[in-house]
Amino acid sequence: MQNSLDSGLSLALRKMERRTPLRPEARKAFMSLHVHRRTFDTQREMVREGDSNGHCLFLESGVVSMSKMLPNGGRQIVAFHVAGDLLGLGSALLLIADHSLRAHVPTAVLSIDDGDILRLAEDYPDIGRAFWFETLVDASIFREWNLNIGRRGARERLAHLVLEIGYKSEAAGLDQKENFACPITQADLADALGLTPVHVNRCMQWLRTEGFLETCGRRIVIPDWGALADFASFRPLYMHPEGPRVLTAERSIRSHA
Amino acid sequence: MQNSLDSGLSLALRKMERRTPLRPEARKAFMSLHVHRRTFDTQREMVREGDSNGHCLFLESGVVSMSKMLPNGGRQIVAFHVAGDLLGLGSALLLIADHSLRAHVPTAVLSIDDGDILRLAEDYPDIGRAFWFETLVDASIFREWNLNIGRRGARERLAHLVLEIGYKSEAAGLDQKENFACPITQADLADALGLTPVHVNRCMQWLRTEGFLETCGRRIVIPDWGALADFASFRPLYMHPEGPRVLTAERSIRSHA
DNA sequence: CGAAGTTTTGAGGACCTTCAAAAGTTGTGG
DNA sequence: CCACAACTTTTGAAGGTCCTCAAAACTTCG
């Protein structure tokens, strides 16, 4: 069993190291994390708003959304995650989950104890920095969603989300960004965009008739990436693919005391 | 000069320590940070989207907004900050600013070199954890804004923002949450809420006629906090006033190698 | 093959926007 | 201290985007 779990962790490590190279000791410590695999069916809630935290989740395969609810029943999806993502890094330090996590397809996660994550970040500063960076990127994506929901028209808004999902799928090594699986229903897209399912459907049709995209089954094809990116003013900088600042070699100058 | 700068830093420290107590060495290292004071007039841009980062800012006094622009001129304010807040912690690790910062009243900040922040986080794990926690809270607030903009009606949305500003003012020790300075124009509120200034004005009038709030000059009074919080489904949990998880004493169990 | 879920269609209406201008407030310099 | 300019808030009217409700067509899955 430990072997198959290892292979899952190494995916997380590979993804993290694409941005932040780690020192060998840190890599070894990461790989020796004690993990527990769990699987979830489609539409299954993995974490519920208000739960007390306890575990970080590494998404091995599948698609997961993070959402918040209103007392009147309104739901807002605030993020989508694909294989390779670290979910709920927040739970390492935040005591109570302020959001829910839901699987959109059959999904496998590796569950890691919060305390282990925290100790890892404390003992290995480069891992701590990598976690902090991931959190900063998440925050930046949330800001872009604010802009998207607050200030773009419905068609641009939908287009922007579709481009983001394609971009992330390619970055995760799952698909090409111009042709990718998108197993998210229009109702869920609506919840992510602050729109109604009916209106998402009409916007989707409009994007198709304009030739901006094609759908076949649960797959999306974007014939001219540049044209759609231009239409939606999509610039992937907000996902910070350039990676974090690297600390310069001169670590000696320590203090000003 | 160093003395007055010290008093600014100690405000930051006090605010951070309200959540995360630091060890004496860490506190001392924090206080010996090399800082540089800068002041900005009303409506002055402090950081522009696309700038390369270099400095974190500690907000000593004033009000600052973080915003993002669309090519068509649309602006979305994604956060407001008050005295005591650490702005642009992100710039420690993110190379390029994906947002602008603007002063809304005459404002003073202490500017700290990114590298110093990074080294501090690396050398003192408790400071690193405090920075990470601040970033997690910021991310949580962005999520709540997604929900606010995406799923609440205009009046609830405005009410929610007003409550957040009041709550933060009290938490920062500047005012009472039921009676606080709000030097933000309706046009800027509109940019934060994804609405037009005209509609913000009408919502404001409605909130007043319903008795939910009163305005006098640039001050807001909330006669019945509970009633307005209920109307806007405002629950401050998303700002995580409970503070971060504290690491248990047994630090010895290190690895599973 | 039937059941459940998802996408599509239609019609009417609400919420919020746009544009334009007046009234009120704040700040500045003579 | 007043006068004036600049900014902010307020008002009105008309229109568009997006919503609500409801039902039909299509797809997926057991």
mmCIF file of all heavy atoms in Angstrom, chain A residues 68 75 92-93 98 114 119 122-123 129 132 135 140 144 146 151 190 195 240 245 251 254, chain B residues 68 75 92-93 98 114 122-123 129 132 135 140 144 146 151 190 195 240 245 251 254:
data_model
loop_
_atom_site.group_PDB
_atom_site.id
_atom_site.type_symbol
_atom_site.label_atom_id
_atom_site.label_comp_id
_atom_site.label_asym_id
_atom_site.label_seq_id
_atom_site.Cartn_x
_atom_site.Cartn_y
_atom_site.Cartn_z
ATOM 1 N N LYS A 68 -19.073 28.191 -0.873
ATOM 2 C CA LYS A 68 -19.650 28.784 0.331
ATOM 3 C C LYS A 68 -21.152 28.932 0.129
ATOM 4 O O LYS A 68 -21.606 29.154 -0.992
ATOM 5 C CB LYS A 68 -19.024 30.169 0.581
ATOM 6 C CG LYS A 68 -17.569 30.118 1.011
ATOM 7 C CD LYS A 68 -16.984 31.517 1.087
ATOM 8 C CE LYS A 68 -17.437 32.249 2.319
ATOM 9 N NZ LYS A 68 -16.526 32.149 3.454
ATOM 10 N N ARG A 75 -25.556 29.369 -3.415
ATOM 11 C CA ARG A 75 -24.222 28.763 -3.318
ATOM 12 C C ARG A 75 -23.277 29.511 -4.251
ATOM 13 O O ARG A 75 -23.626 29.856 -5.368
ATOM 14 C CB ARG A 75 -24.276 27.285 -3.727
ATOM 15 C CG ARG A 75 -22.922 26.714 -4.158
ATOM 16 C CD ARG A 75 -23.032 25.287 -4.623
ATOM 17 N NE ARG A 75 -22.947 24.374 -3.515
ATOM 18 C CZ ARG A 75 -23.772 23.365 -3.297
ATOM 19 N NH1 ARG A 75 -24.761 23.149 -4.114
ATOM 20 N NH2 ARG A 75 -23.577 22.577 -2.270
ATOM 21 N N ALA A 92 -4.334 23.845 7.851
ATOM 22 C CA ALA A 92 -3.182 23.667 8.731
ATOM 23 C C ALA A 92 -3.190 24.709 9.848
ATOM 24 O O ALA A 92 -2.816 24.424 10.974
ATOM 25 C CB ALA A 92 -1.889 23.765 7.930
ATOM 26 N N LEU A 93 -3.637 25.920 9.522
ATOM 27 C CA LEU A 93 -3.599 26.990 10.522
ATOM 28 C C LEU A 93 -4.981 27.507 10.907
ATOM 29 O O LEU A 93 -5.150 28.044 11.991
ATOM 30 C CB LEU A 93 -2.754 28.162 10.002
ATOM 31 C CG LEU A 93 -1.238 27.957 10.110
ATOM 32 C CD1 LEU A 93 -0.489 29.023 9.331
ATOM 33 C CD2 LEU A 93 -0.819 27.990 11.569
ATOM 34 N N ASP A 98 -14.182 27.435 6.487
ATOM 35 C CA ASP A 98 -15.194 28.420 6.120
ATOM 36 C C ASP A 98 -15.742 28.123 4.730
ATOM 37 O O ASP A 98 -16.307 28.969 4.072
ATOM 38 C CB ASP A 98 -14.612 29.843 6.202
ATOM 39 C CG ASP A 98 -13.305 29.963 5.449
ATOM 40 O OD1 ASP A 98 -13.132 29.277 4.438
ATOM 41 O OD2 ASP A 98 -12.440 30.734 5.904
ATOM 42 N N ASP A 114 -2.923 17.747 9.709
ATOM 43 C CA ASP A 114 -2.552 19.154 9.809
ATOM 44 C C ASP A 114 -1.244 19.373 10.556
ATOM 45 O O ASP A 114 -0.408 20.184 10.151
ATOM 46 C CB ASP A 114 -3.631 19.930 10.568
ATOM 47 C CG ASP A 114 -4.842 20.167 9.716
ATOM 48 O OD1 ASP A 114 -4.724 20.046 8.479
ATOM 49 O OD2 ASP A 114 -5.887 20.484 10.285
ATOM 50 N N ARG A 119 4.440 20.954 11.056
ATOM 51 C CA ARG A 119 5.801 20.634 11.493
ATOM 52 C C ARG A 119 6.758 20.635 10.304
ATOM 53 O O ARG A 119 7.888 21.111 10.397
ATOM 54 C CB ARG A 119 5.817 19.269 12.177
ATOM 55 C CG ARG A 119 5.486 19.354 13.668
ATOM 56 C CD ARG A 119 5.675 18.015 14.350
ATOM 57 N NE ARG A 119 4.577 17.107 13.995
ATOM 58 C CZ ARG A 119 3.415 17.083 14.637
ATOM 59 N NH1 ARG A 119 3.200 17.904 15.652
ATOM 60 N NH2 ARG A 119 2.473 16.239 14.277
ATOM 61 N N GLU A 122 7.683 24.000 9.452
ATOM 62 C CA GLU A 122 8.521 24.620 10.464
ATOM 63 C C GLU A 122 9.959 24.089 10.388
ATOM 64 O O GLU A 122 10.921 24.848 10.532
ATOM 65 C CB GLU A 122 7.934 24.329 11.847
ATOM 66 C CG GLU A 122 8.663 25.012 12.958
ATOM 67 C CD GLU A 122 7.722 25.350 14.106
ATOM 68 O OE1 GLU A 122 6.506 25.450 13.896
ATOM 69 O OE2 GLU A 122 8.222 25.515 15.228
ATOM 70 N N ASP A 123 10.075 22.798 10.146
ATOM 71 C CA ASP A 123 11.398 22.176 10.148
ATOM 72 C C ASP A 123 12.166 22.438 8.863
ATOM 73 O O ASP A 123 13.393 22.452 8.856
ATOM 74 C CB ASP A 123 11.269 20.661 10.353
ATOM 75 C CG ASP A 123 10.747 20.325 11.748
ATOM 76 O OD1 ASP A 123 10.883 21.189 12.632
ATOM 77 O OD2 ASP A 123 10.208 19.221 11.939
ATOM 78 N N ARG A 129 8.154 27.842 2.747
ATOM 79 C CA ARG A 129 8.043 28.893 1.741
ATOM 80 C C ARG A 129 7.193 28.424 0.563
ATOM 81 O O ARG A 129 6.396 29.193 0.023
ATOM 82 C CB ARG A 129 9.431 29.304 1.260
ATOM 83 C CG ARG A 129 9.467 30.670 0.651
ATOM 84 C CD ARG A 129 10.884 31.208 0.550
ATOM 85 N NE ARG A 129 11.723 30.350 -0.245
ATOM 86 C CZ ARG A 129 12.887 29.845 0.153
ATOM 87 N NH1 ARG A 129 13.350 30.122 1.342
ATOM 88 N NH2 ARG A 129 13.585 29.089 -0.647
ATOM 89 N N TRP A 132 3.593 28.655 1.605
ATOM 90 C CA TRP A 132 3.193 30.060 1.643
ATOM 91 C C TRP A 132 2.943 30.570 0.222
ATOM 92 O O TRP A 132 1.950 31.236 -0.050
ATOM 93 C CB TRP A 132 4.286 30.879 2.349
ATOM 94 C CG TRP A 132 3.915 32.315 2.622
ATOM 95 C CD1 TRP A 132 2.665 32.854 2.599
ATOM 96 C CD2 TRP A 132 4.810 33.376 2.965
ATOM 97 N NE1 TRP A 132 2.736 34.191 2.914
ATOM 98 C CE2 TRP A 132 4.032 34.537 3.139
ATOM 99 C CE3 TRP A 132 6.184 33.457 3.148
ATOM 100 C CZ2 TRP A 132 4.589 35.760 3.465
ATOM 101 C CZ3 TRP A 132 6.737 34.684 3.494
ATOM 102 C CH2 TRP A 132 5.954 35.828 3.651
ATOM 103 N N THR A 135 -0.302 29.398 -1.117
ATOM 104 C CA THR A 135 -1.388 30.174 -0.512
ATOM 105 C C THR A 135 -1.505 31.548 -1.164
ATOM 106 O O THR A 135 -2.600 32.048 -1.411
ATOM 107 C CB THR A 135 -1.151 30.330 1.004
ATOM 108 O OG1 THR A 135 -1.000 29.032 1.586
ATOM 109 C CG2 THR A 135 -2.317 31.032 1.658
ATOM 110 N N SER A 140 -4.307 35.180 -5.009
ATOM 111 C CA SER A 140 -4.292 35.963 -6.249
ATOM 112 C C SER A 140 -5.397 35.509 -7.195
ATOM 113 O O SER A 140 -6.036 36.327 -7.863
ATOM 114 C CB SER A 140 -2.927 35.823 -6.920
ATOM 115 O OG SER A 140 -2.911 36.512 -8.141
ATOM 116 N N GLU A 144 -8.654 37.586 -8.800
ATOM 117 C CA GLU A 144 -9.063 37.626 -10.204
ATOM 118 C C GLU A 144 -10.531 37.227 -10.353
ATOM 119 O O GLU A 144 -11.249 37.799 -11.167
ATOM 120 C CB GLU A 144 -8.182 36.697 -11.036
ATOM 121 C CG GLU A 144 -8.476 36.722 -12.534
ATOM 122 C CD GLU A 144 -8.022 37.992 -13.233
ATOM 123 O OE1 GLU A 144 -7.100 38.655 -12.729
ATOM 124 O OE2 GLU A 144 -8.612 38.330 -14.288
ATOM 125 N N ASN A 146 -12.841 37.816 -8.129
ATOM 126 C CA ASN A 146 -13.569 39.032 -7.725
ATOM 127 C C ASN A 146 -13.765 39.932 -8.919
ATOM 128 O O ASN A 146 -14.867 40.406 -9.203
ATOM 129 C CB ASN A 146 -12.786 39.809 -6.673
ATOM 130 C CG ASN A 146 -13.037 39.317 -5.253
ATOM 131 O OD1 ASN A 146 -12.546 39.893 -4.314
ATOM 132 N ND2 ASN A 146 -13.806 38.248 -5.097
ATOM 133 N N ARG A 151 -16.926 42.618 -12.454
ATOM 134 C CA ARG A 151 -16.786 43.630 -13.493
ATOM 135 C C ARG A 151 -16.831 43.156 -14.942
ATOM 136 O O ARG A 151 -16.745 43.964 -15.850
ATOM 137 C CB ARG A 151 -15.476 44.413 -13.296
ATOM 138 C CG ARG A 151 -15.552 45.497 -12.218
ATOM 139 C CD ARG A 151 -16.362 46.684 -12.685
ATOM 140 N NE ARG A 151 -16.637 47.658 -11.640
ATOM 141 C CZ ARG A 151 -17.870 47.893 -11.160
ATOM 142 N NH1 ARG A 151 -18.898 47.216 -11.621
ATOM 143 N NH2 ARG A 151 -18.055 48.804 -10.231
ATOM 144 N N ALA A 190 -22.574 28.051 -13.315
ATOM 145 C CA ALA A 190 -23.392 29.187 -12.883
ATOM 146 C C ALA A 190 -23.071 29.562 -11.433
ATOM 147 O O ALA A 190 -22.919 30.742 -11.105
ATOM 148 C CB ALA A 190 -24.871 28.852 -13.033
ATOM 149 N N LEU A 195 -24.111 33.519 -11.749
ATOM 150 C CA LEU A 195 -25.172 33.611 -12.758
ATOM 151 C C LEU A 195 -26.177 32.484 -12.531
ATOM 152 O O LEU A 195 -25.998 31.652 -11.651
ATOM 153 C CB LEU A 195 -24.569 33.470 -14.162
ATOM 154 C CG LEU A 195 -23.561 34.529 -14.592
ATOM 155 C CD1 LEU A 195 -22.874 34.124 -15.888
ATOM 156 C CD2 LEU A 195 -24.253 35.879 -14.766
ATOM 157 N N HIS A 240 0.470 33.186 -11.509
ATOM 158 C CA HIS A 240 1.893 33.244 -11.198
ATOM 159 C C HIS A 240 2.677 32.012 -11.643
ATOM 160 O O HIS A 240 3.367 31.385 -10.834
ATOM 161 C CB HIS A 240 2.094 33.546 -9.708
ATOM 162 C CG HIS A 240 1.654 34.924 -9.352
ATOM 163 N ND1 HIS A 240 2.438 36.038 -9.559
ATOM 164 C CD2 HIS A 240 0.480 35.386 -8.881
ATOM 165 C CE1 HIS A 240 1.771 37.116 -9.194
ATOM 166 N NE2 HIS A 240 0.577 36.754 -8.783
ATOM 167 N N ARG A 245 9.861 34.172 -6.009
ATOM 168 C CA ARG A 245 11.180 34.786 -5.914
ATOM 169 C C ARG A 245 12.144 33.771 -5.304
ATOM 170 O O ARG A 245 11.778 33.014 -4.401
ATOM 171 C CB ARG A 245 11.062 35.998 -5.000
ATOM 172 C CG ARG A 245 12.345 36.748 -4.712
ATOM 173 C CD ARG A 245 12.075 37.811 -3.653
ATOM 174 N NE ARG A 245 10.998 38.705 -4.017
ATOM 175 C CZ ARG A 245 11.141 39.774 -4.789
ATOM 176 N NH1 ARG A 245 12.325 40.071 -5.282
ATOM 177 N NH2 ARG A 245 10.111 40.528 -5.070
ATOM 178 N N ARG A 251 22.987 34.471 2.438
ATOM 179 C CA ARG A 251 22.093 34.282 3.563
ATOM 180 C C ARG A 251 22.712 34.741 4.871
ATOM 181 O O ARG A 251 22.082 34.718 5.919
ATOM 182 C CB ARG A 251 21.716 32.798 3.691
ATOM 183 C CG ARG A 251 20.768 32.298 2.673
ATOM 184 C CD ARG A 251 19.334 32.737 2.970
ATOM 185 N NE ARG A 251 18.904 32.333 4.322
ATOM 186 C CZ ARG A 251 18.805 33.125 5.357
ATOM 187 N NH1 ARG A 251 19.139 34.392 5.239
ATOM 188 N NH2 ARG A 251 18.396 32.703 6.515
ATOM 189 N N ARG A 254 22.333 38.595 8.618
ATOM 190 C CA ARG A 254 21.191 38.047 9.318
ATOM 191 C C ARG A 254 20.309 39.099 9.968
ATOM 192 O O ARG A 254 19.103 39.114 9.810
ATOM 193 C CB ARG A 254 21.719 37.082 10.384
ATOM 194 C CG ARG A 254 20.696 36.500 11.319
ATOM 195 C CD ARG A 254 19.871 35.436 10.613
ATOM 196 N NE ARG A 254 19.345 34.484 11.576
ATOM 197 C CZ ARG A 254 19.911 33.339 11.889
ATOM 198 N NH1 ARG A 254 21.030 32.989 11.290
ATOM 199 N NH2 ARG A 254 19.370 32.533 12.765
ATOM 200 N N LYS B 68 -7.904 45.913 -9.097
ATOM 201 C CA LYS B 68 -7.468 45.371 -10.376
ATOM 202 C C LYS B 68 -8.261 46.055 -11.482
ATOM 203 O O LYS B 68 -9.414 46.413 -11.301
ATOM 204 C CB LYS B 68 -7.731 43.863 -10.440
ATOM 205 C CG LYS B 68 -6.863 43.047 -9.492
ATOM 206 C CD LYS B 68 -7.262 41.585 -9.490
ATOM 207 C CE LYS B 68 -6.850 40.893 -10.757
ATOM 208 N NZ LYS B 68 -5.572 40.158 -10.659
ATOM 209 N N ARG B 75 -12.895 48.919 -13.097
ATOM 210 C CA ARG B 75 -12.026 48.718 -11.928
ATOM 211 C C ARG B 75 -12.769 47.897 -10.883
ATOM 212 O O ARG B 75 -13.950 48.111 -10.632
ATOM 213 C CB ARG B 75 -11.629 50.064 -11.318
ATOM 214 C CG ARG B 75 -11.166 49.972 -9.856
ATOM 215 C CD ARG B 75 -10.852 51.322 -9.268
ATOM 216 N NE ARG B 75 -9.494 51.708 -9.561
ATOM 217 C CZ ARG B 75 -9.106 52.888 -10.006
ATOM 218 N NH1 ARG B 75 -9.997 53.814 -10.255
ATOM 219 N NH2 ARG B 75 -7.839 53.145 -10.216
ATOM 220 N N ALA B 92 6.593 39.525 -1.163
ATOM 221 C CA ALA B 92 7.795 38.841 -0.693
ATOM 222 C C ALA B 92 8.138 37.668 -1.610
ATOM 223 O O ALA B 92 9.306 37.387 -1.858
ATOM 224 C CB ALA B 92 7.596 38.344 0.740
ATOM 225 N N LEU B 93 7.111 37.015 -2.137
ATOM 226 C CA LEU B 93 7.363 35.832 -2.968
ATOM 227 C C LEU B 93 6.906 35.993 -4.412
ATOM 228 O O LEU B 93 7.407 35.315 -5.302
ATOM 229 C CB LEU B 93 6.680 34.600 -2.352
ATOM 230 C CG LEU B 93 7.423 33.977 -1.168
ATOM 231 C CD1 LEU B 93 6.559 32.954 -0.460
ATOM 232 C CD2 LEU B 93 8.708 33.314 -1.674
ATOM 233 N N ASP B 98 0.060 41.979 -9.121
ATOM 234 C CA ASP B 98 -1.098 41.789 -9.996
ATOM 235 C C ASP B 98 -2.243 42.695 -9.572
ATOM 236 O O ASP B 98 -3.385 42.453 -9.888
ATOM 237 C CB ASP B 98 -1.528 40.312 -10.013
ATOM 238 C CG ASP B 98 -1.686 39.759 -8.598
ATOM 239 O OD1 ASP B 98 -2.086 40.526 -7.721
ATOM 240 O OD2 ASP B 98 -1.392 38.571 -8.383
ATOM 241 N N ASP B 114 11.615 43.251 0.669
ATOM 242 C CA ASP B 114 11.121 41.882 0.510
ATOM 243 C C ASP B 114 12.083 40.841 1.057
ATOM 244 O O ASP B 114 11.675 39.883 1.723
ATOM 245 C CB ASP B 114 10.933 41.573 -0.976
ATOM 246 C CG ASP B 114 9.686 42.217 -1.508
ATOM 247 O OD1 ASP B 114 8.842 42.610 -0.704
ATOM 248 O OD2 ASP B 114 9.590 42.337 -2.736
ATOM 249 N N GLU B 122 12.162 32.880 7.314
ATOM 250 C CA GLU B 122 12.959 31.665 7.236
ATOM 251 C C GLU B 122 13.696 31.396 8.552
ATOM 252 O O GLU B 122 13.794 30.258 8.995
ATOM 253 C CB GLU B 122 13.964 31.810 6.089
ATOM 254 C CG GLU B 122 14.774 30.578 5.842
ATOM 255 C CD GLU B 122 15.169 30.443 4.384
ATOM 256 O OE1 GLU B 122 14.493 31.051 3.512
ATOM 257 O OE2 GLU B 122 16.155 29.744 4.114
ATOM 258 N N ASP B 123 14.211 32.479 9.155
ATOM 259 C CA ASP B 123 15.008 32.309 10.370
ATOM 260 C C ASP B 123 14.150 32.080 11.607
ATOM 261 O O ASP B 123 14.596 31.463 12.571
ATOM 262 C CB ASP B 123 15.892 33.546 10.594
ATOM 263 C CG ASP B 123 16.954 33.681 9.508
ATOM 264 O OD1 ASP B 123 17.260 32.656 8.861
ATOM 265 O OD2 ASP B 123 17.465 34.796 9.315
ATOM 266 N N ARG B 129 5.170 31.436 10.278
ATOM 267 C CA ARG B 129 3.812 30.934 10.438
ATOM 268 C C ARG B 129 2.818 32.079 10.571
ATOM 269 O O ARG B 129 1.714 32.034 10.026
ATOM 270 C CB ARG B 129 3.742 30.030 11.667
ATOM 271 C CG ARG B 129 2.601 29.057 11.618
ATOM 272 C CD ARG B 129 2.756 27.955 12.653
ATOM 273 N NE ARG B 129 2.894 28.461 13.986
ATOM 274 C CZ ARG B 129 3.897 28.172 14.809
ATOM 275 N NH1 ARG B 129 4.863 27.365 14.412
ATOM 276 N NH2 ARG B 129 3.939 28.676 16.008
ATOM 277 N N TRP B 132 2.208 33.414 7.115
ATOM 278 C CA TRP B 132 1.381 32.456 6.376
ATOM 279 C C TRP B 132 -0.070 32.583 6.825
ATOM 280 O O TRP B 132 -0.995 32.627 6.005
ATOM 281 C CB TRP B 132 1.920 31.047 6.595
ATOM 282 C CG TRP B 132 1.292 29.982 5.758
ATOM 283 C CD1 TRP B 132 0.518 30.171 4.630
ATOM 284 C CD2 TRP B 132 1.352 28.563 5.964
ATOM 285 N NE1 TRP B 132 0.127 28.959 4.133
ATOM 286 C CE2 TRP B 132 0.611 27.956 4.924
ATOM 287 C CE3 TRP B 132 1.964 27.754 6.913
ATOM 288 C CZ2 TRP B 132 0.473 26.568 4.820
ATOM 289 C CZ3 TRP B 132 1.818 26.372 6.795
ATOM 290 C CH2 TRP B 132 1.084 25.788 5.765
ATOM 291 N N THR B 135 -1.745 35.539 5.364
ATOM 292 C CA THR B 135 -2.063 35.293 3.960
ATOM 293 C C THR B 135 -3.306 34.414 3.826
ATOM 294 O O THR B 135 -4.159 34.634 2.968
ATOM 295 C CB THR B 135 -0.875 34.614 3.256
ATOM 296 O OG1 THR B 135 0.293 35.421 3.426
ATOM 297 C CG2 THR B 135 -1.145 34.443 1.771
ATOM 298 N N SER B 140 -9.172 33.972 2.739
ATOM 299 C CA SER B 140 -10.520 33.683 3.216
ATOM 300 C C SER B 140 -11.446 34.876 3.003
ATOM 301 O O SER B 140 -12.609 34.729 2.641
ATOM 302 C CB SER B 140 -10.464 33.304 4.693
ATOM 303 O OG SER B 140 -11.765 33.090 5.193
ATOM 304 N N GLU B 144 -14.947 35.284 0.756
ATOM 305 C CA GLU B 144 -16.212 35.858 1.209
ATOM 306 C C GLU B 144 -16.667 36.955 0.246
ATOM 307 O O GLU B 144 -17.858 37.100 -0.014
ATOM 308 C CB GLU B 144 -16.073 36.419 2.626
ATOM 309 C CG GLU B 144 -17.358 36.972 3.211
ATOM 310 C CD GLU B 144 -18.382 35.901 3.579
ATOM 311 O OE1 GLU B 144 -17.992 34.749 3.838
ATOM 312 O OE2 GLU B 144 -19.580 36.232 3.592
ATOM 313 N N ASN B 146 -16.093 37.001 -2.959
ATOM 314 C CA ASN B 146 -16.651 36.265 -4.104
ATOM 315 C C ASN B 146 -18.119 35.958 -3.855
ATOM 316 O O ASN B 146 -18.971 36.199 -4.702
ATOM 317 C CB ASN B 146 -15.915 34.927 -4.293
ATOM 318 C CG ASN B 146 -14.663 35.052 -5.132
ATOM 319 O OD1 ASN B 146 -14.049 34.067 -5.462
ATOM 320 N ND2 ASN B 146 -14.270 36.266 -5.477
ATOM 321 N N ARG B 151 -23.418 36.346 -5.117
ATOM 322 C CA ARG B 151 -24.686 35.746 -4.704
ATOM 323 C C ARG B 151 -25.583 36.574 -3.807
ATOM 324 O O ARG B 151 -26.684 36.140 -3.471
ATOM 325 C CB ARG B 151 -24.429 34.395 -4.023
ATOM 326 C CG ARG B 151 -24.133 33.265 -4.996
ATOM 327 C CD ARG B 151 -25.407 32.802 -5.687
ATOM 328 N NE ARG B 151 -25.173 31.856 -6.763
ATOM 329 C CZ ARG B 151 -25.353 32.150 -8.066
ATOM 330 N NH1 ARG B 151 -25.752 33.335 -8.438
ATOM 331 N NH2 ARG B 151 -25.134 31.229 -8.991
ATOM 332 N N ALA B 190 -18.870 51.335 -4.896
ATOM 333 C CA ALA B 190 -19.402 50.687 -6.099
ATOM 334 C C ALA B 190 -18.339 49.821 -6.764
ATOM 335 O O ALA B 190 -18.614 48.692 -7.178
ATOM 336 C CB ALA B 190 -19.911 51.740 -7.078
ATOM 337 N N LEU B 195 -20.977 47.196 -8.515
ATOM 338 C CA LEU B 195 -22.203 47.930 -8.799
ATOM 339 C C LEU B 195 -21.851 49.283 -9.395
ATOM 340 O O LEU B 195 -20.679 49.631 -9.523
ATOM 341 C CB LEU B 195 -23.004 48.149 -7.508
ATOM 342 C CG LEU B 195 -23.494 46.894 -6.772
ATOM 343 C CD1 LEU B 195 -24.018 47.259 -5.393
ATOM 344 C CD2 LEU B 195 -24.572 46.201 -7.589
ATOM 345 N N HIS B 240 -11.481 35.083 10.645
ATOM 346 C CA HIS B 240 -10.736 34.220 11.574
ATOM 347 C C HIS B 240 -10.164 34.967 12.774
ATOM 348 O O HIS B 240 -8.966 34.920 13.028
ATOM 349 C CB HIS B 240 -9.645 33.453 10.813
ATOM 350 C CG HIS B 240 -10.228 32.453 9.872
ATOM 351 N ND1 HIS B 240 -10.652 31.205 10.273
ATOM 352 C CD2 HIS B 240 -10.533 32.536 8.561
ATOM 353 C CE1 HIS B 240 -11.166 30.554 9.235
ATOM 354 N NE2 HIS B 240 -11.104 31.350 8.175
ATOM 355 N N ARG B 245 -4.221 27.964 14.634
ATOM 356 C CA ARG B 245 -3.967 26.785 15.423
ATOM 357 C C ARG B 245 -2.621 26.952 16.118
ATOM 358 O O ARG B 245 -1.680 27.476 15.544
ATOM 359 C CB ARG B 245 -3.912 25.586 14.469
ATOM 360 C CG ARG B 245 -3.614 24.247 15.105
ATOM 361 C CD ARG B 245 -3.372 23.229 13.985
ATOM 362 N NE ARG B 245 -4.515 23.136 13.091
ATOM 363 C CZ ARG B 245 -5.609 22.419 13.350
ATOM 364 N NH1 ARG B 245 -5.704 21.744 14.469
ATOM 365 N NH2 ARG B 245 -6.597 22.385 12.483
ATOM 366 N N ARG B 251 7.028 18.604 20.115
ATOM 367 C CA ARG B 251 7.655 18.901 18.833
ATOM 368 C C ARG B 251 8.660 17.814 18.421
ATOM 369 O O ARG B 251 9.240 17.867 17.361
ATOM 370 C CB ARG B 251 8.399 20.243 18.905
ATOM 371 C CG ARG B 251 7.525 21.434 18.899
ATOM 372 C CD ARG B 251 7.015 21.755 17.494
ATOM 373 N NE ARG B 251 8.097 21.920 16.523
ATOM 374 C CZ ARG B 251 8.426 21.017 15.614
ATOM 375 N NH1 ARG B 251 7.807 19.859 15.563
ATOM 376 N NH2 ARG B 251 9.385 21.253 14.763
ATOM 377 N N ARG B 254 9.490 13.741 14.897
ATOM 378 C CA ARG B 254 9.887 14.521 13.763
ATOM 379 C C ARG B 254 9.521 13.880 12.428
ATOM 380 O O ARG B 254 8.981 14.500 11.539
ATOM 381 C CB ARG B 254 11.408 14.719 13.837
ATOM 382 C CG ARG B 254 12.052 15.435 12.676
ATOM 383 C CD ARG B 254 11.772 16.930 12.746
ATOM 384 N NE ARG B 254 12.832 17.664 12.055
ATOM 385 C CZ ARG B 254 13.877 18.207 12.650
ATOM 386 N NH1 ARG B 254 14.007 18.105 13.953
ATOM 387 N NH2 ARG B 254 14.785 18.861 11.949
#
